[in-house]
Amino acid sequence: MPKSLFQKFKTSISGISLPEKFTFPFYYEPHELSQVAVLELQSYLETQTDFEHNFGLQKDQDGLVIGKMFGVLVCQNQKGELGYLWAFSGKLAEQNQLPYFVPTVYDMLHPSSFYKNEEAKINQLNRQIEQLEENSEYLMAKETLNQIFSEAENDIQRQKQHIKTQKLLRDQLRIDAQNTKTIEEFEAYNLQLSEQSKREAILLKKMTKYWNYKKAEVQQNLESIEAEINQLKEKRREMSGTLQQRLFAEYSFLNQSGKRKSIGEIFNDNPPAGAGECAAPKLLHYAFEHQLRPIAMAEFWWGQSPRSEVRKHKQFYPACKGKCEPILLGHMLDDIIMDENPFLENPAEGKTLEIIYEDDVMLAINKPAEFLSVPGKLVTDSVYERIKQMYPDATGPLVVHRLDMSTSGIMLLAKNEETYVQLQSQFIKRKVKKCYEALLDGVIEQNEGFIDLPLRVDLDDRPRQMVCYEYGKPAQTEWEKIAIENNKTRVHFYPITGRTHQLRVHASHPLGLNTSITGDDLYGTKSNRLHLHAKSITFEHPISKEVITLLVEADF
């Protein structure tokens, strides 16, 4: 095993105890050993000269800015010595392998790989297809065919119009002849007009037949070339499919028991793009391959944040769920004792719902932080379940609108379907006025503003949201500064729309306030709670039509 990959700690780690369990990769506080390993990796990144990559940290650096996720795996070798491995997600400096970093599980870029060899054959087919499609004879045949189609269409349309005009003229001549000719003369004249009509129809048939012949003549020449092109395209499709299936089969991951499982098996032959290229699978695969025992793991972002996501320089992040969860939890971490999965725990246990308003048709509650509005996939305890138990005779969906699990504050609930529909209508028509209070992790200089950043879900890392101008739904927020407190800013948010995580993303995104909400474990830094509270709501009562404003002060 190359000594450069399993590295001993340069910093003294005496006095740091080993964790009792391995890191749960999708929600964690970095262990102290992981933090030391990360600091040593970050020190290397700040001073290294082994590669050139524009992370967006130096203003005078050329090239496309690409921030990058890095990972460290603290592990123990067979001698019982502690050290760590480094990895980066995807490619770095357009390479899969760099000094000190574990390699990718399967290097598609290696010149001798079957992937590169088969890719070269497919590229040769691409060139043959391009040459045929750009062949002058083929292009001329296509142009001629288009011209013939155009001429035929115009010629036939002219004849049809002529027939139509002549028919109208003959109809008028028949009317005039009835008044001026005898019965015998009219019958002979009418027969003459009918024969004229037949000749025009026959001519149209002959024209149509002629143009069809001309089209077929050119099409035959064109089809002989297209048949060769389509044959090459079919061969390319088959080769691409075979290559993909072989890649799915050979791109396999080890676990602690030495068992291998391919990416095709893990994702039922339909893996998302980039699956297996993240830091976590690379680190664990290398450790298992070289008999290293995983102790703790952490991943962090290095560089400028992408425009679509919220990523903070040097901040820790969990492994992505879409690409990594099936690989890690479905195979690689089998038989490894990990920290408890917090997503299986009920965050609402021991918490109560405070009713702040109630009448015959509706009520309002003050929802605690870390309390689901509606049942989740793994935990059913929620505002909906609690209210259903408290009001067994209530009908309808009950929950008029939702708050994120981590957000505290006012929620409206309906006791019957009619009230639900009326209140929901006010939300849909944006007649309900809401104010949220938040504490931001930094000082905001402006006093107020308007944020307009469309949002969509990150398909590879649900439930995280992304800014997306192409597919995102409109998301707009007004805000004002309330106070500066201990280098933090207290603000009021007035959401115009109600997208998932809207206020959290609008606060933390570089194009928003660029300052995350205190305690935001998705877009900022985790603390005792998310400091976001639905403080007040103004709506029209569905029965009395009275305008009601409810207020509950934030407790942070």
Side-chain angles (χ1 to χ4, degrees):
M1 178 184 68
K3 293 182 180 180
S4 59
L5 298 187
F6 177 73
Q7 303 182 67
K8 303 285 185 61
F9 283 94
K10 301 174 182 65
T11 309
S12 172
I13 55 171
S14 60
I16 302 178
S17 301
L18 294 182
E20 294 181 3
K21 300 177 181 179
F22 185 68
T23 312
F24 180 74
F26 301 100
Y27 196 90
Y28 62 90
E29 287 288 336
H31 186 267
E32 195 173 350
L33 287 171
S34 294
Q35 294 181 43
V36 174
V38 163
L39 288 175
E40 294 192 5
L41 171 51
Q42 291 177 351
S43 176
Y44 165 78
L45 291 173
E46 287 170 343
T47 59
Q48 65 83 27
T49 57
D50 296 316
F51 61 87
E52 291 186 9
H53 182 94
N54 187 1
F55 292 104
L57 300 175
Q58 300 174 11
K59 293 182 179 179
D60 58 345
Q61 195 167 1
D62 296 329
L64 183 67
V65 173
I66 304 176
K68 185 64 59 177
M69 193 74 78
F70 287 87
V72 298
L73 178 66
V74 178
C75 42
Q76 204 169 33
N77 65 16
Q78 290 179 303
K79 297 178 182 178
E81 298 169 320
L82 276 179
Y84 52 75
L85 301 171
W86 292 345
F88 50 82
S89 290
K91 291 186 291 186
L92 182 59
E94 292 302 315
Q95 297 181 66
N96 276 334
Q97 298 190 29
L98 288 168
Y100 307 111
F101 293 95
V102 303
T104 185
V105 177
Y106 177 77
D107 188 3
M108 292 185 294
L109 300 181
H110 196 281
S112 64
S113 71
F114 78 85
Y115 185 87
K116 293 299 289 184
N117 292 334
E118 292 301 310
E119 186 182 49
K121 294 177 184 177
I122 292 171
N123 287 337
Q124 179 62 32
L125 284 178
N126 288 333
R127 287 191 289 271
Q128 291 176 5
I129 292 168
E130 288 172 7
Q131 287 171 1
L132 286 171
E133 289 179 335
E134 293 171 4
N135 179 275
S136 58
E137 182 183 355
Y138 176 64
L139 294 174
M140 181 64 73
K142 287 181 72 174
E143 185 179 345
T144 303
L145 185 63
N146 290 334
Q147 187 176 347
I148 287 174
F149 266 89
S150 178
E151 289 177 3
E153 177 68 19
N154 292 336
D155 200 18
I156 289 172
Q157 285 301 321
R158 279 195 300 269
Q159 178 62 11
K160 286 181 177 179
Q161 185 61 43
H162 175 73
I163 290 173
K164 186 177 180 181
T165 303
Q166 290 301 309
K167 181 181 183 302
L168 293 173
L169 179 60
R170 285 191 294 272
D171 289 344
Q172 186 61 48
L173 289 173
R174 286 188 180 94
I175 293 171
D176 294 342
Q178 281 180 329
N179 298 325
T180 60
K181 296 182 184 296
T182 64
I183 293 175
E184 292 79 7
E185 288 174 335
F186 177 77
E187 288 178 352
Y189 185 63
N190 188 41
L191 182 61
Q192 181 184 347
L193 293 177
S194 296
E195 288 298 322
Q196 183 183 344
S197 175
K198 288 177 183 178
R199 286 194 298 271
E200 290 170 352
I202 290 169
L203 178 58
L204 177 61
K205 288 182 180 179
K206 288 181 178 180
M207 290 171 65
T208 303
K209 187 175 181 180
Y210 167 78
W211 284 117
N212 286 340
Y213 170 78
K214 293 289 288 182
K215 291 176 189 176
E217 186 180 27
V218 180
Q219 275 181 319
Q220 187 175 7
N221 184 35
L222 189 63
E223 285 171 0
S224 65
I225 303 174
E226 287 182 336
E228 187 177 357
I229 292 173
N230 291 333
Q231 188 177 11
L232 289 173
K233 285 183 175 179
E234 177 62 22
K235 185 177 180 181
R236 180 181 64 183
R237 186 189 67 79
E238 291 174 357
M239 288 179 66
S240 297
T242 302
L243 175 60
Q244 188 177 58
Q245 291 306 312
R246 184 177 174 187
L247 180 63
F248 290 168
E250 296 201 18
Y251 201 137
S252 59
F253 305 88
L254 282 166
N255 65 12
Q256 184 174 243
S257 304
K259 295 179 181 177
R260 285 186 176 271
K261 200 169 188 179
S262 72
I263 199 168
E265 293 175 289
I266 293 170
F267 289 98
N268 295 318
D269 288 335
N270 189 31
E277 296 299 309
C278 296
K282 289 182 183 181
L283 290 165
L284 288 166
H285 180 82
Y286 187 92
F288 297 142
E289 193 172 39
H290 295 84
Q291 291 75 54
L292 299 170
R293 185 170 76 88
I295 301 296
M297 185 166 60
E299 296 181 75
F300 66 92
W301 182 262
W302 187 264
Q304 199 176 109
S305 175
R307 288 179 63 85
S308 60
E309 300 177 63
V310 178
R311 299 291 185 187
K312 304 292 184 181
H313 182 51
K314 293 187 177 183
Q315 188 158 302
F316 290 101
Y317 288 95
C320 67
K321 288 192 173 182
K323 296 177 184 178
C324 291
E325 189 171 45
I327 298 173
L328 301 184
L329 297 188
H331 170 62
M332 296 191 82
L333 293 174
D334 283 355
D335 302 324
I336 289 185
I337 300 174
M338 286 184 291
D339 293 330
E340 298 300 319
N341 179 353
F343 301 113
L344 298 176
E345 299 173 2
N346 178 14
E349 190 171 347
K351 298 177 182 179
T352 58
L353 298 178
E354 176 192 2
I355 297 176
I356 61 170
Y357 173 88
E358 184 176 11
D359 59 31
D360 292 341
V361 297
M362 64 169 291
L363 68 150
I365 62 158
N366 178 22
K367 183 183 85 69
E370 302 305 322
F371 202 121
L372 289 168
S373 294
V374 296
K377 291 181 179 179
L378 303 175
V379 176
T380 58
D381 191 10
S382 58
V383 171
Y384 173 81
E385 290 293 336
R386 297 279 186 98
I387 295 299
K388 193 167 69 170
Q389 292 173 12
M390 293 167 63
Y391 300 88
D393 296 329
T395 61
L398 300 178
V399 177
V400 178
H401 64 116
R402 303 181 188 184
L403 294 179
D404 288 345
M405 180 181 74
S406 299
T407 304
S408 62
I410 302 172
M411 278 183 66
L412 302 184
L413 298 115
K415 293 182 178 180
N416 58 63
E417 190 170 353
E418 182 182 355
T419 302
Y420 168 83
V421 170
Q422 290 181 356
L423 288 173
Q424 260 266 307
S425 176
Q426 293 184 50
F427 278 93
I428 293 170
K429 295 176 181 177
R430 299 180 183 174
K431 292 182 177 181
V432 178
K433 304 301 178 186
K434 295 171 285 181
C435 172
Y436 289 74
E437 189 164 311
L439 194 64
L440 306 185
D441 260 336
V443 175
I444 303 295
E445 299 297 335
Q446 311 99 295
N447 290 321
E448 59 184 19
F450 175 79
I451 303 168
D452 186 2
L453 296 174
L455 302 176
R456 72 165 177 84
V457 69
D458 184 342
L459 297 175
D460 291 327
D461 202 10
R462 297 173 185 271
R464 290 178 64 91
Q465 302 293 307
M466 302 173 63
V467 171
C468 180
Y469 288 93
E470 186 174 4
Y471 301 109
K473 294 180 179 179
Q476 299 167 328
T477 307
E478 293 179 347
W479 67 275
E480 64 176 336
K481 181 167 66 177
I482 304 304
I484 302 294
E485 307 168 5
N486 300 318
N487 291 320
K488 296 181 184 291
T489 306
R490 190 174 292 269
V491 298
H492 280 167
F493 286 121
Y494 305 97
I496 297 170
T497 54
R499 307 300 176 202
T500 301
H501 295 178
Q502 176 175 315
L503 301 181
R504 298 168 73 171
V505 177
H506 281 185
S508 56
H509 196 276
L511 297 177
L513 295 179
N514 198 28
T515 310
S516 57
I517 298 173
T518 301
D520 191 340
D521 56 2
L522 279 178
Y523 309 100
T525 304
K526 186 178 183 296
S527 66
N528 62 318
R529 64 156 289 181
L530 176 69
H531 288 58
L532 178 63
H533 176 75
K535 179 178 183 177
S536 71
I537 190 167
T538 300
F539 62 97
E540 181 183 272
H541 192 277
I543 303 299
S544 69
K545 305 306 178 184
E546 175 190 0
V547 175
I548 296 175
T549 297
L550 302 175
L551 173 68
V552 175
E553 295 289 348
D555 62 358
F556 51 78

